[in-house]
Every structure is written in C-alpha cells, then in structure tokens.
Amino acid sequence: MASALPALLLLSACATPELLLDLDSDVDGLLDGEERELGTDPTVKDTDRDTWEDGIEIEAWTDPLDPDDHPLVGGWDMGPCRDRIEPTTDAVGEIASDFALMDQYSEQDGLYEVVRLHDFCHKEVLIVYGNTG
C-alpha cells in the first residue's frame, strides 16, 4: 500500500494545471497574474478605455489605468524614467524643466498630440530655438 501513495500524490498534482499555468484571458499581452499585480482588469483588453490595450501601454511605459497617459500617436519612443526626472537648470548639459509641444506628425482630425520633453528621458534631446524679434 505504501507504493500507491506517491502515485496518488503525483496524480493529484497533475489534476490542477490551473495552479501552474497563468493565462492571458483578455489576450492583451499581459498574463492575468501580471494584471492583478498592476491593478488592471484581466478580462478587459483596455482597462482605462483609451483605445490602447493594457499590454501595449506597459510596453510603451505608459499607465494602463490612466486614460490621459498612453503611447504617443506619432510613434515617438517614450522612456521608463519619465516620471522620475528631477530638473536641475535650463543651462546647457543640465536637465531642463518639462514642457509640452504639439507634435506635428500626429495630426488626427485637425488635432495634434501633446508631446512632453520628459517623455524622452532615456535619450539626449537637442533643443534648438531662436528669436526672430
């Protein structure tokens, strides 16, 4: 009888695959367990309903719980540190304060997307400006 006990334990372990397998129920690129940790809905592709799937937002370093925070329509690549930038001064070689511009490449129905300087924190950004007056 002692030899049947290990076989019984092995069968019961195999009978519960859902404990070992994490699914992506809404097929948004995030596993259900990841969604629970993030606070997104594992049964809805776009938790904040901003037209961007949760998995795409995470990949683009945006917040899938904030409808105002989504990947840039113009295709610009955001960085993971954009919310942790501490500006120093606006002098050459320093970290400038964040500011917003309208992205001319993201026109949609006559509207242009707002692009912020700190969205590109993982890149060096050269800003050239002049005064015509």
Side-chain angles (χ1 to χ4, degrees), residues 63-114:
D63 185 352
L65 297 172
D66 181 354
D68 294 325
D69 188 28
H70 52 76
L72 297 172
V73 176
W76 304 107
D77 180 28
M78 290 186 187
C81 55
R82 66 194 183 106
D83 295 320
R84 298 184 311 266
I85 295 177
E86 294 293 330
T88 54
T89 69
D90 291 340
V92 174
E94 295 294 321
I95 300 173
S97 300
D98 195 16
F99 62 90
L101 299 170
M102 300 306 284
D103 178 11
Q104 64 181 337
Y105 298 107
S106 68
E107 180 188 4
Q108 202 169 24
D109 300 324
L111 301 173
Y112 295 93
E113 183 172 40
V114 173

Side-chain angles (χ1 to χ4, degrees), residues 8-22:
L8 180 61
L9 290 175
L10 179 62
L11 287 174
S12 67
C14 292
T16 56
E18 65 275 0
L19 296 176
L20 305 174
L21 179 65
D22 201 1

